Amino acid sequence: MNWFTRFLTSTLGRKLIMALTGLFLILFLAVHLTGNLQLLKDDGGRAFNMYAEFMSTNPLIQFVSKGNFAFILIHVLLSFHLTIQNRKARGPERYAVSSGKSSIWASRNMGILGTLVLIFMIIHLKDFWAEMHFGAVSVVDYDGHQVRDLAALVDYWFAKEWYVATYVFCMGALAFHLWHGFISAFQTLGLNHLKYNAVIHFVGKVFAVVVPALFAWIPIAMYFNL
């Protein structure tokens, strides 16, 4: 067991955990987006409210949700540690070379991008998750079934210009973070291969653009009543 502990606490082990938690969070983003897109239905928020009710009461989903919070925390802590470690390793000349694929802007600023995403998540959790669980959210009745009107809460925040602008900006940071992180995770896990690299890069870049863009489109569409 000592070799396993040493491996997990090594640089390679930490990068492996970063990759695994990163891929889990990528999957979470896809599922979360599917739910949030319900907000664009012209049904007075019913589809989204029913989705939110299911997600917040299903025992299996709640178990996965708790694991998701743990993975986010692990991913963030390891990200900060590896960023500091890499900067120390590169020394004062770390920015001397700026050519090649490994030096693209996103890869050289993963720490900054990750920090922006973390700040957004804290704000997002405060305004939605905490309000949902501890705030005074109104209740709506659907065919005798009462659920929390979380769509109204989303409407409240997405009616504010500064909030929509901040949300869209942070989705831009998420896009850049995913642009490098998606492909990097596969490389760390040793899943890259000459036959499949082109596909992995294509899927990663499409995901990095489309998913944050759709997340950003939701507040824009709601703000302008599209």
Side-chain angles (χ1 to χ4, degrees), residues 115-171:
T115 300
L116 289 174
V117 174
L118 175 62
I119 293 172
F120 164 77
M121 287 178 59
I122 293 172
I123 296 173
H124 191 65
L125 287 171
K126 178 186 75 68
D127 294 336
F128 293 102
W129 183 86
E131 193 67 24
M132 177 181 71
H133 288 281
F134 309 110
V137 179
S138 60
V139 175
V140 62
D141 186 281
Y142 297 129
D143 303 322
H145 181 55
Q146 293 189 332
V147 300
R148 288 167 293 190
D149 193 3
L150 297 177
L153 179 62
V154 177
D155 277 331
Y156 170 79
W157 285 110
F158 286 171
K160 301 178 183 296
E161 291 181 6
W162 69 269
Y163 200 92
V164 172
T166 301
Y167 195 101
V168 172
F169 173 78
C170 289
M171 289 304 101

Side-chain angles (χ1 to χ4, degrees), residues 187-207:
Q187 292 175 340
T188 300
L189 294 173
L191 299 177
N192 53 327
H193 190 280
L194 289 176
K195 290 178 63 177
Y196 313 117
N197 279 349
V199 175
I200 293 173
H201 280 242
F202 175 77
V203 172
K205 290 176 180 179
V206 169
F207 188 94

